[in-house]
Amino acid sequence: MEYPDFYTKVETIRLYDPLSDFLGAFKDGIIDIGYIDCVKLAGHSCPTVAGAYLMTLQGLKALYPHSLPKRGSIKVSIKDDRSEGVTGVVANIISFITGACDESGFKGVQGNFGRNDLITYNEPIASEIMFTRIDTNESVSVSYDPSYIPADEQMKPLMAKILQNSASDEEKQTFKTLWQKRVEKILLTPESWDKIITLQK
């Protein structure tokens, strides 16, 4: 399997997963989730997937400044409807990382380790996403706007040619390179994160 090198250069999110600990899935319940795992889940790498990853990374850092985030013990509130725009893509990434699921999620074992009903939509919040610790009820609000890192001006006409089946192999490769280059800038330029990520506790 080949993929852009920057996927594995993105900061990994480490969590404690009590369900994994209980069932022996990972030693001591410690689990690392990287950007490449989220690309596999989504089936693609794009600014939306990158944004969902960054919002979760930064949100969990703010919510758990002195300990590992506890997977399955984080409530996720989403402002938009699940069918609106890219909300579903964002929610899938956040659900994968935090363990938070809707009503279809894991119901738990004798009242423990439940993952269901932890992610909700159409919430009356000002931000795009709100993460809440179930144990302390502390919350952090996060929003994402990648416009600070614009797409290369060649990308739009190249995409049009590809979708019209009129692009050459060279043009297709140029488009792929430019597309991933923007995602790389979003993920590996931490000095710009305060311009694209809005976070408030």
Side-chain angles (χ1 to χ4, degrees):
M1 183 177 70
E2 296 184 19
Y3 49 85
D5 291 343
F6 78 86
Y7 288 5
T8 54
K9 296 178 181 178
V10 180
E11 182 177 351
T12 297
I13 300 174
R14 172 165 285 192
L15 310 99
Y16 169 65
D17 189 327
L19 178 59
S20 293
D21 194 3
F22 174 66
L23 296 176
F26 298 99
K27 184 179 179 181
D28 299 324
I30 305 300
I31 180 170
D32 292 325
I33 297 177
Y35 181 66
I36 189 171
D37 299 312
C38 295
V39 173
K40 290 177 182 178
L41 174 73
H44 64 287
S45 167
C46 70
T48 296
V49 174
Y53 188 86
L54 276 185
M55 282 193 291
T56 309
L57 172 68
Q58 295 299 90
L60 294 183
K61 280 185 176 182
L63 207 53
Y64 293 85
H66 306 300
S67 62
L68 290 180
K70 191 174 180 181
R71 197 166 187 238
S73 296
I74 302 160
K75 181 180 178 182
V76 180
S77 304
I78 299 178
K79 181 178 182 179
D80 295 329
D81 187 85
R82 73 178 73 196
S83 63
E84 183 176 343
V86 296
T87 301
V89 177
V90 172
N92 285 341
I93 298 299
I94 294 175
S95 174
F96 172 58
I97 297 170
T98 64
C101 296
D102 59 18
E103 65 277 5
S104 65
F106 180 60
K107 303 302 188 291
V109 181
Q110 294 184 1
N112 300 291
F113 316 119
R115 304 286 173 89
N116 60 311
D117 298 323
L118 291 181
I119 188 166
T120 54
Y121 302 86
N122 300 301
E123 293 288 352
I125 56 177
S127 62
E128 187 175 346
I129 306 290
M130 179 180 286
F131 298 100
T132 302
R133 289 179 58 161
I134 293 176
D135 58 347
T136 65
N137 208 36
E138 293 177 274
S139 295
V140 60
S141 300
V142 192
S143 293
Y144 168 71
D145 179 3
S147 61
Y148 181 75
I149 301 178
D152 188 286
E153 61 183 16
Q154 299 179 72
M155 286 176 56
K156 190 172 181 179
L158 283 172
M159 176 183 280
K161 290 190 72 173
I162 293 170
L163 293 175
Q164 294 165 5
N165 295 316
S166 61
S168 66
D169 288 344
E170 183 178 355
E171 287 173 324
K172 292 176 183 177
Q173 187 56 53
T174 298
F175 173 77
K176 294 175 185 179
T177 300
L178 291 175
W179 181 276
Q180 293 303 324
K181 185 61 66 175
R182 185 185 181 206
V183 179
E184 180 178 5
K185 286 181 180 179
I186 290 170
L187 288 168
L188 294 185
T189 314
E191 59 270 22
S192 70
W193 288 354
D194 63 338
K195 304 292 194 309
I196 62 177
I197 298 288
T198 303
L199 189 148
Q200 185 175 2
K201 286 197 72 173

